[in-house]
Amino acid sequence: MSLGDEHGHGDPARADDELYAGGGQTRTRLPERSTDPYGGARRGPRSSSRSLITVVAVVVLLVAAIAFANRGGGDPSAADSGGHGNDPKAAATAPTGKRPVTTKTAGIPSGFSHDEQGVQSAAANYSVALGSAEMFNTAQRHRIVNTVYAPDIAAARQADLDSAYSNEKFLSNIGLQKDGTAPANQTFVSRVVPVGTKVTSLRGDRASVEVWYTSLFGLSGEASTNPVSESWYTTTYQLTWVDNDWKITDFQQKDGPVPVGRDQRASTADDMTKAVEEYGGFTYAR
């Protein structure tokens, strides 16, 4: 396990190039020159034909989704007019899974159920906490680790993490100051967004859960040399049932699966900073 594994950010050394795979070949796409020191990696506009194809595809998917969602949910009188008023009517589809937990410990969701859905929710919420910018603050890191790890594991992990997160060379490489804070007029972004979870093992009080997520990591600001970038990872958490809740005992991380990137224009530093400050996270439940 490395420090990069713990908070899930990408390799800063690989942030200069973008790799695209297509047609059996891999090509390197270099950033276009720009007068914006933060948005130097902006992508050019898409061709009109490609844009048209994309719009048509989105419209077709949207229409299909609406039709599927509305099956059996139309006007009852319209259904009865077909002469089959005694036939059972299809029920509208509903979300599945338990409601999110309503309790928190040290600001982190807690009190998960002792079943598959509960352990998946715990793993997703804990991955958000461990991948947050708060991990770079000593007091907040201690709070997070003591909350999400099993008591007999937390103390050992705490010492390892303190050593790693105080490494001046590491902090310098990602653009942070010696105390783990962002330079003046810049905003440090470290955020994990779970996409899905999967239980790979559940036996009594022990479980193994995979969390697939995207990670936003970097510094948002006009003078940033490490702009916010996106990475994809899957982390497998080992959890145990302790004191009526799920707690982490170990984890392993790997890259991907990584989706194909779209030709979208990168946002400016101001837009990215505003989004990070205005959009909060979620309590994840299954």
Side-chain angles (χ1 to χ4, degrees), residues 92-169:
T93 57
T96 61
K98 298 182 182 296
R99 292 181 178 275
V101 293
T102 58
T103 56
K104 289 187 176 182
T105 300
I108 301 173
S110 62
F112 301 99
S113 57
H114 192 189
D115 55 20
E116 284 196 10
Q117 294 187 35
V119 75
Q120 289 181 77
S121 183
N125 282 283
Y126 293 165
S127 67
V128 171
L130 290 171
S132 67
E134 285 72 22
M135 287 291 290
F136 288 79
N137 175 279
T138 301
Q140 294 183 15
R141 179 171 63 252
H142 289 180
R143 170 183 59 82
I144 292 172
V145 172
N146 287 329
T147 301
V148 306
Y149 276 94
D152 59 336
I153 301 294
R157 290 297 293 151
Q158 202 73 267
D160 293 338
L161 290 172
D162 285 345
S163 176
Y165 278 92
S166 62
N167 186 296
E168 293 184 8
K169 183 178 180 181

Side-chain angles (χ1 to χ4, degrees), residues 70-100:
N70 287 335
R71 283 193 309 181
D75 185 357
S77 61
D80 291 340
S81 62
H84 301 284
N86 294 327
D87 293 343
K89 297 179 176 60
T93 57
T96 61
K98 298 182 182 296
R99 292 181 178 275

Side-chain angles (χ1 to χ4, degrees), residues 6 27 45 68 74 86 91 99 134 136 145 147 171 213 220 239:
E6 186 67 43
R27 61 189 178 87
F68 180 81
N86 294 327
R99 292 181 178 275
E134 285 72 22
F136 288 79
V145 172
T147 301
L171 295 172
Y213 61 91
S220 176
L239 301 101

